[in-house]
Amino acid sequence: MKCPKILAALLGCAVLASVPVSPAHAAINSMSLGASYNAQQTSITFRVYSSTATRIVLYLYSAGYGVQESATYALSPAGSGVWAVTVPVSSIQGAGITGAVYYGYRAWGPNWPYSSSWGKGSQAGFVSDVDASGNRFNPNKLLLDPYAQEVSQDPQNPSNQNGNVFASGASYRTTDSGIYAPKGVVLAPSTQSTGTKPTRAQKDDVIYEVHVRGFTEQDTSIPAQYRGTYYGAGLKASYLASLGVTAVEFLPVQETQNDANDVVPNSDANQNYWGYMTENYFSPDRRYAYNKAPGGPTAEFQAMVQAFHNAGIKVYMDVVYNHTAEGGTWTSNDPTTATIYSWRGLDNATYYELTSGNQYFYDNTGTGANFNTYNTVAQNLIVDSLAYWANTMGVDGFRFDLASVLGNSCLNGAYTSSAPNCPNGGYNFDAADSNVAINRILREFTVRPAAGGSGLDLFAEPWAIGGNSYQLGGFPQGWSEWNGLFRDSLRQAQNELGNMTIHITQDANDFSGSSNLFQASGRSPWNSVNFIDVHDGMTLKDVYSCNGANNNQAWPYGPSDGGTSTNYSWDQGMSAGTGTAADQRRAARTGMAFEMLSAGTPLMQGGDEYLRTLQCNNNAYNLDSSANWLNYSWTTDQSNFHTFAQRLIAFRKAHPALRPSGWYSGSQLVWYQPSGAVADSSYWNNTSNYAIAYTINGPSLGDGNSMYVAYNGWSGSVTFTLPAPPSGTQWYRVTDTCNWNDGANTFVAPGSEALIGGAGTTYGQCGQSLLLLISK
């Protein structure tokens, strides 16, 4: 997610108990929330949830922006907190709405009871902006349906730059938001196919994280009208397949505040590029659709998914259920002023976790307010949204932003499990509590089996802010996790030797699947998502080309606020006159080799395959700019690195020994000192040793070859003595990341491996590099 200053220090940033529990509801969207046509499309039923409202009125519009309502209909209580009304299509047409139907709600409640004298912009009936129970009803704010399947426009857009119209508080409560507010769009069921979902086991995946707009916005091979769109992204399916990628993970594509990104050209202008401030959990973001007409974004997203599925590529979504775009109170000393788009104006205490007194919000996200993930109805929205994207939109898996918040067992300041209170300021992660959202998700969905098949792949970003929210390794069986320790320890090994104590035992754990984190909970190596870099931080090139973050640059590379100060990056001595660009490429090759040769699920950032740079900006969340979009005009060095990445991925896919379903055991994995002796406890425990090698016995793992990997972390050359390869074979070189081998064939094509020798052969390995041999 975006790394505000409060989050900067974080980045760097229990086994599930068998407790029987009744499902929170019997089926996906059992309350039938949202707006839907009947089978004959002669009427539309509108259903919305509010446990404390005293009146809700539906407002219908002929357009999404700038017009007054065409008709209104009062909703009636339908039980269990649901409000509903069914409107004949003939009545809607009679009101002058002959095209798409746009809609929103106005709601009254205890803090603002209904008065017959109320009119838009009136204060009639007002009692308080927020009452003792946390209600924040304000009928002057038109509310977006949390279950709307498409949204008309963002609150702020080229026509409206004034966010104050959506606020409560003395200065803004009578400002009517009706003509400005985003409206839901009523959609008939889509007939667009999403293709056949791949059933590949997660252990066999290579994930490519990319922004859907940045993927093609400056790709001249894509027709201009499709650049930066879902359609354009689908046209890149063959490119990713040729690279070897098997799953594409998109940064948030649910509606977020980005319509205004182009209002002030060539300026950050507080842009929201990454998209981690969700306005609606069901709607595909219209900005990424070339067809923005009602129904267009949905069908176009589905067609994009089909294009990837046709290429055998899974589609993952980055989802943000820990907070919303409404944020928190505007200041820490005034509870009355807060943004009201949707959830807050319908049922504030249901959708947000409130502090003692119900005036403010708990915040473990750095963005103002925790989504109330322990509340059943708020959980329903999460589950119903996931089901919609998986079943209707064709998505194969989800990465959950700040997923520790979904393990929160506190409900509005009251710990409702085994402890008498919330020990961490209204927050407590508890994977053993069967009612937390992360366990609810496991109950409601089938997780893809280890051997492959139907189901979802679930990925947690296992941290948030404060309390016990750093939970790497703490999620229950069924979840995979972004392994931040893999990132940090390998960056340290490459870039910090001499500056800090480096433990080679940690890197050995990383290479073999991080058993220290995942084995005890019954999980497997592939539950570790291994990465050197992602959107949050530096690019692969910058990790090995920058001595620290440089976020205060001019457009298009900045300025960006926030970002971590703990990067473990180094320019390989170039600024000191002791390193070269070739040294930086060597380090990047070594880092990517670690990523792809380690047991686990590798994740690369889009552009890593050609050494994309952000010139040391490590928090480019706000740059919807040419610097942040992928570039397909490469130098020779970039093309060479692309070949290296492509062949490295192909090697991983060709050797199942690198993709184990379980933990290596016995002779399957053997560690060696450079001398050729097996590494013993004295070698492991000596932190002055920083060269290590290992063999993977491929034949015992269903592989045609065994492998030998040597890593020299020192700056000077180290001589490795090779152990014996399998009987009847010798060692052949696949890659040596050293500078002497810089070029188009750093990683050789299959069949072009160079003979090195057998047992006892010595190999001089340059400093800070990796050697890969196979037996033939």
Side-chain angles (χ1 to χ4, degrees):
M1 62 174 292
K2 177 195 177 223
C3 194
K5 293 181 176 70
I6 191 171
L7 187 57
L10 174 78
L11 297 175
C13 187
V15 182
L16 173 61
S18 179
V19 180
V21 63
S22 300
H25 62 61
I28 299 299
N29 197 8
S30 64
M31 294 190 288
S32 301
L33 298 177
S36 59
Y37 283 95
N38 65 351
Q40 297 76 30
Q41 297 193 22
T42 57
S43 66
I44 303 173
T45 297
F46 299 84
R47 293 171 65 90
V48 67
Y49 179 88
S50 178
S51 63
T52 56
T54 55
R55 178 179 173 84
I56 298 180
V57 175
L58 168 71
Y59 278 60
L60 299 180
Y61 297 82
S62 60
Y65 182 88
V67 301
Q68 300 292 345
E69 70 276 8
S70 298
T72 63
Y73 296 88
L75 280 71
S76 299
S80 302
V82 176
W83 294 72
V85 66
T86 298
V87 183
V89 169
S90 58
S91 297
I92 296 173
Q93 293 173 341
I97 303 174
T98 56
V101 178
Y102 299 88
Y103 72 104
Y105 297 107
R106 297 183 190 265
W108 290 257
N111 68 297
W112 196 320
Y114 175 71
S115 169
S116 61
S117 63
W118 176 86
K120 290 180 294 183
S122 163
Q123 195 161 300
F126 170 79
V127 175
S128 63
D129 289 295
V130 54
D131 66 15
S133 298
N135 293 301
R136 291 180 179 268
F137 293 99
N138 183 333
N140 291 315
K141 311 304 173 182
L142 189 78
L143 305 176
L144 178 63
D145 180 1
Y147 280 68
Q149 293 179 357
E150 283 189 5
V151 174
S152 58
Q153 78 279 331
D154 288 340
Q156 295 181 60
N157 55 68
S159 299
N160 174 47
Q161 291 295 291
N162 182 10
N164 295 342
V165 300
F166 305 103
S168 60
S171 299
Y172 313 113
R173 73 172 68 101
T174 59
T175 302
D176 189 76
S177 68
I179 65 172
Y180 309 102
K183 281 66 169 192
V185 184
V186 184
L187 299 183
S190 173
T191 59
Q192 169 64 49
S193 172
T194 58
T196 302
K197 289 189 173 187
T199 58
R200 182 186 312 103
Q202 184 191 308
K203 72 179 183 65
D204 297 328
D205 280 323
V206 174
I207 306 173
Y208 187 91
E209 185 206 37
V210 71
H211 190 286
V212 72
R213 173 170 162 84
F215 196 13
T216 63
E217 181 63 23
Q218 55 185 355
D219 185 349
T220 57
S221 73
I222 303 293
Q225 69 269 31
Y226 301 139
R227 294 174 195 164
T229 68
Y230 301 122
Y231 190 95
L235 295 177
K236 299 297 288 186
S238 60
Y239 168 76
L240 290 189
S242 69
L243 180 59
V245 167
T246 65
V248 59
E249 179 180 302
F250 287 115
L251 269 68
V253 293
Q254 295 164 323
E255 275 288 355
T256 191
Q257 179 67 64
N258 56 17
D259 283 0
N261 282 11
D262 292 332
V263 171
V264 184
N266 302 325
S267 168
D268 73 305
N270 297 313
Q271 290 182 353
N272 173 18
Y273 177 63
W274 284 351
Y276 288 90
M277 293 294 282
T278 310
E279 295 168 352
N280 184 275
Y281 289 116
F282 290 80
S283 307
D285 198 306
R286 291 173 63 259
R287 179 171 172 81
Y288 308 142
Y290 84 91
N291 178 8
K292 294 179 172 60
T298 297
E300 190 176 331
F301 184 94
Q302 292 169 321
M304 176 194 72
V305 171
Q306 182 180 35
F308 283 112
H309 285 172
N310 289 347
I313 296 173
K314 296 176 183 175
V315 176
Y316 296 151
M317 281 175 56
D318 193 334
V319 288
V320 189
Y321 295 114
N322 57 77
H323 70 279
T324 78
E326 289 183 318
T329 57
W330 284 21
T331 66
S332 60
N333 57 5
D334 172 18
T336 65
T337 305
T339 298
I340 300 175
Y341 294 145
S342 178
W343 309 273
R344 181 163 293 144
L346 285 167
D347 200 327
N348 187 52
T350 287
Y351 290 115
Y352 296 102
E353 191 191 359
L354 309 182
T355 61
S356 177
N358 299 315
Q359 302 297 286
Y360 293 95
F361 304 90
Y362 285 110
D363 179 18
N364 291 92
T365 69
T367 58
N370 285 6
F371 194 69
N372 201 6
T373 63
Y374 202 66
N375 179 283
T376 298
V377 171
Q379 277 187 12
N380 289 352
L381 185 148
I382 294 172
V383 168
D384 295 343
S385 166
L386 293 172
Y388 178 76
W389 287 98
N391 300 334
T392 300
M393 305 297 273
V395 172
D396 302 283
F398 301 92
R399 178 267 189 188
F400 292 78
D401 179 68
L402 299 186
S404 293
V405 175
L406 279 71
N408 185 15
S409 57
C410 295
L411 187 65
N412 288 345
Y415 186 47
T416 57
S417 186
S418 57
N421 52 41
C422 286
N424 295 301
Y427 174 89
N428 187 66
F429 180 91
D430 187 358
D433 186 335
S434 60
N435 293 314
V436 295
I438 57 174
N439 290 329
R440 168 81 184 281
I441 290 167
L442 293 177
R443 287 199 305 274
E444 299 281 6
F445 298 99
T446 298
V447 178
R448 193 181 314 280
S454 298
L456 292 176
D457 300 318
L458 301 177
F459 305 95
E461 182 184 41
W463 48 73
I465 296 175
N468 64 340
S469 64
Y470 189 85
Q471 286 293 328
L472 178 58
F475 277 67
Q477 190 172 0
W479 284 89
S480 296
E481 300 177 33
W482 274 25
N483 191 343
L485 189 57
F486 181 98
R487 169 200 60 199
D488 292 349
S489 62
L490 291 182
R491 286 190 186 188
Q492 291 165 7
Q494 291 187 264
N495 293 332
E496 298 293 342
L497 194 63
N499 296 327
M500 60 189 300
T501 300
I502 305 297
H503 298 276
I504 200 168
T505 52
Q506 177 57 52
D507 291 309
N509 272 319
D510 294 335
F511 301 154
S512 56
S514 300
S515 60
N516 57 321
L517 295 174
F518 300 107
Q519 190 170 16
S521 59
R523 289 184 285 172
S524 301
W526 48 269
N527 291 123
S528 173
V529 178
N530 298 334
F531 61 98
I532 299 292
D533 66 297
V534 287
H535 71 277
D536 233 351
M538 293 182 176
T539 66
L540 182 73
K541 174 176 172 51
D542 290 352
V543 167
Y544 305 109
S545 302
C546 303
N547 289 326
N550 181 17
N551 295 356
N552 192 28
Q553 303 179 63
W555 183 270
Y557 287 95
S560 302
D561 63 351
T564 181
S565 59
T566 310
N567 297 287
Y568 306 119
S569 62
W570 178 40
D571 73 354
Q572 314 307 304
M574 195 166 180
S575 61
T578 60
T580 66
D583 292 327
Q584 295 175 347
R585 293 193 295 273
R586 180 204 65 234
R589 288 194 296 267
T590 303
M592 179 170 276
F594 278 140
E595 187 175 58
M596 295 298 168
L597 297 176
S598 296
T601 303
L603 168 69
M604 62 187 293
Q605 184 180 181
D608 282 353
E609 73 273 23
Y610 66 85
L611 292 177
R612 169 182 177 244
T613 181
L614 280 169
Q615 295 188 172
C616 308
N617 189 327
N618 75 345
N619 197 40
Y621 72 94
N622 60 322
L623 303 180
D624 196 348
S625 73
S626 58
N628 222 0
W629 307 327
L630 271 59
N631 183 345
Y632 298 92
S633 299
W634 301 336
T635 66
T636 298
D637 288 330
Q638 288 177 314
S639 295
N640 289 343
F641 195 88
H642 176 270
T643 300
F644 174 84
Q646 186 179 49
R647 291 178 178 177
L648 175 61
I649 294 170
F651 184 87
R652 177 181 180 85
K653 294 170 73 173
H655 292 279
L658 296 172
R659 301 175 276 111
S661 57
W663 302 100
Y664 293 124
S665 62
S667 62
Q668 290 178 338
L669 178 67
V670 181
W671 296 93
Y672 294 94
Q673 302 175 41
S675 66
V678 173
D680 56 17
S681 59
S682 64
Y683 191 83
W684 285 121
N685 294 334
N686 189 337
T687 57
S688 66
N689 292 327
Y690 217 78
I692 192 71
Y694 60 93
T695 57
I696 298 176
N697 181 9
S700 72
L701 293 161
D703 200 318
N705 306 96
S706 288
M707 280 156 274
Y708 175 85
V709 180
Y711 172 62
N712 175 17
W714 300 113
S715 58
S717 178
V718 168
T719 298
F720 287 87
T721 300
L722 305 184
S727 177
T729 69
Q730 297 194 81
W731 293 117
Y732 287 75
R733 186 177 60 229
V734 179
T735 191
D736 180 335
T737 62
C738 288
N739 292 29
W740 70 264
N741 200 24
D742 188 14
N745 290 300
T746 303
F747 201 106
V748 301
S752 300
E753 301 87 355
L755 173 63
I756 301 301
T761 301
T762 58
Y763 191 99
Q765 186 69 16
C766 76
Q768 299 170 320
S769 67
L770 179 142
L771 170 70
L772 170 63
L773 310 177
I774 60 170
S775 63
K776 290 177 63 177

